[in-house]
Each structure stands twice: as structure tokens, then as C-alpha cells.
Amino acid sequence: MTVITRADAKFLGTPRLAILTTSSFPGAWPLPVPVWFEWADGTARMFSGAAAPKVRRLQADPHATLLATNHVGESEHWVALDGTVEITSDGVIELVERLTPRYWDLGVAEHADTLAGWREAADTMVQLILTPQRVRRG
């Protein structure tokens, strides 16, 4: 089922960490990693260094699951997006610029410095665009 409900869209539109699960090849152990994401236009967008292991795994097998869960203190809820991931360098720094202030206080010098480093290294980063083929929730 690929239907995203209004409640799902609202949930996914709130800044929260998610777990991106990938594998190197069919039958391999799944490898989950925490990620920032943006839900927009029916896709989940994330960014990464192009040389990161998760990117190599997605190049080998583009199937992935993104699992977003409730925050502590929220009612228990989760949304899982199962789909394929497109890897592109297009728009990556714009995504970084949108996501960083959603997840970090840029008044913290360490965070501002990290963002500045990402800007300088933009040509070594990629955008990961997950298009869901199945949506699960609980």
C-alpha cells in the first residue's frame, strides 16, 4: 500500500530522526543508520557523503526502508516507507541548508562550523531520494 494519509504526512513533516535500513545485496543482513530527512512531494530526501558505506550499499541494491518514530513523550506511532532510492548530486546543498536548521541550533558554534564544512564539501555529497512503494504504520 503506497497511500500516505494526512496524518502520515503531518507526522513525517515534523523534524524527527529516522532509521534508513539498507543491505549490500538481496539476502544480506540489513544495516540500519540514523538519518535526517525531509518529506516533500511524495518522497523522503536525505543527504550523505558520496563515499559513505550506505551510499555504496544503495548503489549495489537501491531498495531501502526509512522508519520514522515518535519522540519521547509523544503517543507511540511510527511510519515506515519501503521503496527504492535514487542517488543524485542535484540539489544536495539546498537540502543540507533546509535540514540543518530543522535539526540543529545553528547558534551552537560546533553546529555552524559543521554546516560550513558541508558547504565547502558540497561536491563530495549526494542526495538520497526514497520513493515509497509501500507504506506501513503502527
Side-chain angles (χ1 to χ4, degrees):
M1 171 186 277
T2 60
V3 175
I4 297 288
T5 66
R6 283 190 176 121
D8 292 340
K10 182 178 178 183
F11 184 81
L12 294 169
T14 303
R16 59 186 73 245
L17 290 177
I19 303 298
L20 179 66
T21 303
T22 60
S23 66
S24 299
F25 54 88
W29 287 104
L31 297 163
V33 295
V35 294
W36 295 349
F37 72 97
E38 172 186 73
W39 175 255
D41 302 320
T43 62
R45 296 171 181 270
M46 302 149 278
F47 67 90
S48 177
K54 68 178 162 277
V55 174
R56 288 193 305 274
R57 291 191 300 271
L58 287 165
Q59 289 167 332
D61 180 357
H63 296 91
T65 296
L66 185 71
L67 172 65
T69 66
N70 59 287
H71 297 294
V72 173
E74 283 184 323
S75 297
E76 186 172 322
H77 186 66
W78 56 269
V79 175
L81 307 172
D82 303 321
T84 55
V85 176
E86 173 192 356
I87 303 167
T88 181
S89 57
D90 295 340
V92 68
I93 199 61
E94 293 84 1
L95 178 64
V96 169
E97 294 280 353
R98 287 192 307 272
L99 286 179
T100 304
R102 289 182 67 189
Y103 286 89
W104 278 351
D105 174 357
L106 292 176
V108 175
E110 180 183 355
H111 296 165
D113 290 347
T114 299
L115 176 55
W118 286 338
R119 285 178 182 133
E120 291 175 17
D123 61 338
T124 68
M125 301 178 80
V126 293
Q127 183 175 177
L128 308 174
I129 305 170
L130 186 144
T131 301
Q133 281 124 14
R134 182 172 67 167
V135 179
R136 297 175 289 124
R137 64 190 58 82

